[in-house]
Amino acid sequence: MATPSLPPLNAETSGILRRTAAPAPGIVHLGFGNFHRAHQAVYTDVAVAAHGGDWGIIGISSRSSAITDAMHAQDMLYTVVEISPEGSKFSTPRVHTDAFVAAQDPQRVVATIGAETTRIVSLTVTENGYTYSPATGSLNVADPDVQHDIATAGRPRTPIGQIVRGLQQRARSHGKPVTVLSCDNLADNGHHTQRLVREFASLLPTAEAAETLHWIGANVTFPSSMVDRIVPATTDHYRSLVAEQLGYADQIPVPAEPFTMWILEDNFIAGRPAWEAAGAIFTDDVAAYEQLKVRLLNGTHSLIAYLGALSGAATIPDATGTDYIEAAARRVLRDEYLPSVTVPAAVDVDAYVEQLFSRWRNSALGHRTSQVGSDGSVKLRQRMPVPALEMLDAGAMPHYLALTTAAYLSCIAPLQGFDPGKHANEMQDPARETLQKLAAGSSSGRDLAAKVLGEHHLLGDELATRGDFIRRTGELIDIVHRQGPLAAANAAAESTSLPAQIRSIR
């Protein structure tokens, strides 16, 4: 921990600030966590430094006040710690103008989104924050918070409810247009967010719904984007590193890998920062980059995390350094995810894959398996069904995708008598309680897979009908429970090799 006698980071700290003040606010960001502060905020800081503009960011946390309180105590400043085996680099973005907690002041969320100065509303609320059904992709109208937001105009609890109520505020006051920008790992995230917003609005009283939907159609754009940077949780290690290297106390430094990428559709109805100055790429082909990232990076990352946790690996570098886990990761990436991806022309896929493994081996970063493995019930639904279904339709069994599912369920909902270990137990998942109840009533892995995939539709409606995939997942669960994750990975490796025709990259 940083030495208490050190001066705190604030606006008077010399030698670290790019400019004397933050820009005037123009962006409202929902989901004020580490990823936003190491990604979008950094791009915005560089963009404003290069080209100016009123693009200050008002950060809104969902429930916790830990970051917002620290930001106010530190004059809206924090340190980005870029971590690599070669050493650390430090920077201090100065783009945040205010921060508060949505749960403490829901009316202020509506007013802030509705403010005339707000031109972009961006989100990093994780897949789970969109309150949609992973099985159908539609708004989860059975969710109590969604029901509350539909019935109660002024105090929304969900990000979708907050956005719609804020848009209504704009429509009824100044009427100025605004862009809603999702920065979460959702397939086609711009259109996905747009659909959820419109679904919510359509559930309002008839006249109100018609008015709101008409205004949104004419005045709001929803560009898609793909974001990529590994950003672990803040720990005392990083606080101490900042204290030792920079001589001040920062309660909320953000560790991040050197690699960063942002791909965006250039569809901003009310303007945007010059993010390209920081390396952002604007393209009409966001979907191709998104597939590359969500499947090759995120999908493979999940398998590494679950096998790693089951093997006792605390971090992703530890897991990747285990021979059988790296071998399984390479197989699922090359043989099962890659055939489902249209690789962008500008990407050298071989170099991209090796870069991924280099990033995962970054031992200085120490990304935890429990963090990467959290929220799998929502994440896997985004990553696995399409490649799995394509392989099944081609007559091949996606053994490593089944292994991913089996390892996930072994971590989150183990059968009676099986202990997945502390790293698996630390994973957070909105479906954990439901899945554990299903596991408690299951006599075997096959039984559990049939209930979770076939009846509960964890991976969507289509895979729920594929009995062969469900049975294979169940077989691998039983192997994990009886013989361990290594034996399950070996069982996947020993399975029938893939038909040559589906190895090709489309």
Side-chain angles (χ1 to χ4, degrees), residues 151-169:
T152 310
R155 304 178 65 83
R157 297 171 180 170
T158 68
I160 299 299
Q162 291 160 354
I163 290 169
V164 173
R165 295 307 187 180
L167 296 179
Q168 288 183 303
Q169 175 99 350

Side-chain angles (χ1 to χ4, degrees), residues 135-294:
T136 65
S138 297
L139 188 71
N140 183 7
V141 294
D143 186 284
D145 286 338
V146 173
Q147 293 179 353
H148 169 275
D149 289 357
I150 292 168
T152 310
R155 304 178 65 83
R157 297 171 180 170
T158 68
I160 299 299
Q162 291 160 354
I163 290 169
V164 173
R165 295 307 187 180
L167 296 179
Q168 288 183 303
Q169 175 99 350
R170 301 181 73 87
R172 293 167 182 169
S173 52
H174 52 82
K176 289 194 173 182
V178 68
T179 294
V180 176
L181 174 64
S182 170
C183 299
D184 284 297
N185 291 323
L186 295 163
D188 199 12
N189 58 12
H191 294 100
H192 184 82
T193 305
Q194 181 183 40
R195 184 174 73 249
L196 296 177
V197 164
R198 293 186 67 85
E199 285 181 7
F200 183 101
S202 70
L203 296 171
L204 300 173
T206 304
E208 183 182 358
E211 177 187 5
T212 303
L213 287 168
H214 176 76
W215 190 87
I216 290 172
N219 295 280
V220 186
T221 53
F222 297 83
S224 286
S225 72
M226 185 280 282
V227 297
D228 189 1
R229 193 174 203 184
I230 295 174
V231 181
T234 298
T235 64
D236 285 344
H237 168 75
Y238 298 110
R239 296 184 182 96
S240 297
L241 188 62
V242 169
E244 293 165 3
Q245 297 293 319
L246 302 180
Y248 58 73
D250 183 351
Q251 296 305 308
I252 49 169
V254 182
E257 66 171 334
F259 179 90
T260 183
M261 179 181 283
W262 200 4
I263 312 293
L264 302 102
E265 180 183 7
D266 203 353
N267 185 22
F268 291 77
I269 194 170
R272 62 169 177 80
W275 284 317
E276 59 268 38
I281 297 172
F282 290 87
T283 177
D284 294 331
D285 198 17
V286 172
Y289 285 92
E290 180 184 77
Q291 288 179 5
L292 197 72
K293 193 250 181 173
V294 169

Side-chain angles (χ1 to χ4, degrees), residues 13-38:
T13 304
S14 62
I16 62 166
L17 300 179
R18 194 186 293 274
R19 54 189 162 275
T20 57
I27 300 172
V28 172
H29 186 80
L30 305 178
F32 195 39
N34 275 16
F35 186 83
H36 160 74
R37 293 187 298 129

Side-chain angles (χ1 to χ4, degrees), residues 405-406 409 413-416 434-458 464 467-479 481-482:
T405 311
L409 290 173
L415 296 172
Q416 186 174 4
T434 298
L435 297 179
Q436 287 184 340
K437 287 180 180 178
L438 294 175
S442 298
S443 59
S444 67
R446 282 194 173 196
D447 190 16
L448 176 60
K451 290 176 180 176
V452 171
L453 302 180
E455 299 173 18
H456 191 66
H457 293 208
L458 176 75
D468 48 353
F469 180 80
I470 294 171
R471 284 191 296 275
R472 186 55 175 150
T473 299
E475 291 168 358
L476 291 168
I477 292 172
D478 284 329
I479 294 173
H481 283 52
R482 294 169 184 166

Side-chain angles (χ1 to χ4, degrees), residues 302-390:
S302 290
L303 179 58
I304 293 171
Y306 297 129
L307 290 179
L310 292 169
S311 299
T315 69
I316 293 297
D318 289 341
T320 308
T322 303
D323 289 346
Y324 89 86
I325 296 178
E326 178 174 347
R330 288 187 178 276
R331 287 291 299 276
V332 75
L333 189 158
R334 284 283 184 182
D335 295 343
E336 301 188 7
Y337 280 121
L338 187 55
S340 72
V341 171
T342 301
V343 179
V347 174
D348 179 333
V349 71
D350 291 331
Y352 180 80
V353 169
E354 291 313 309
Q355 184 182 54
L356 289 181
F357 279 91
S358 177
R359 293 168 64 190
W360 292 327
R361 291 191 197 99
N362 185 346
S363 57
L365 200 61
H367 207 186
R368 299 189 68 80
T369 52
S370 58
Q371 182 182 358
V372 176
S374 289
D375 295 332
S377 59
V378 182
K379 292 175 178 177
L380 296 183
R381 179 63 180 83
Q382 291 292 318
R383 301 165 187 179
M384 288 179 48
V386 170
L389 289 165
E390 287 188 3

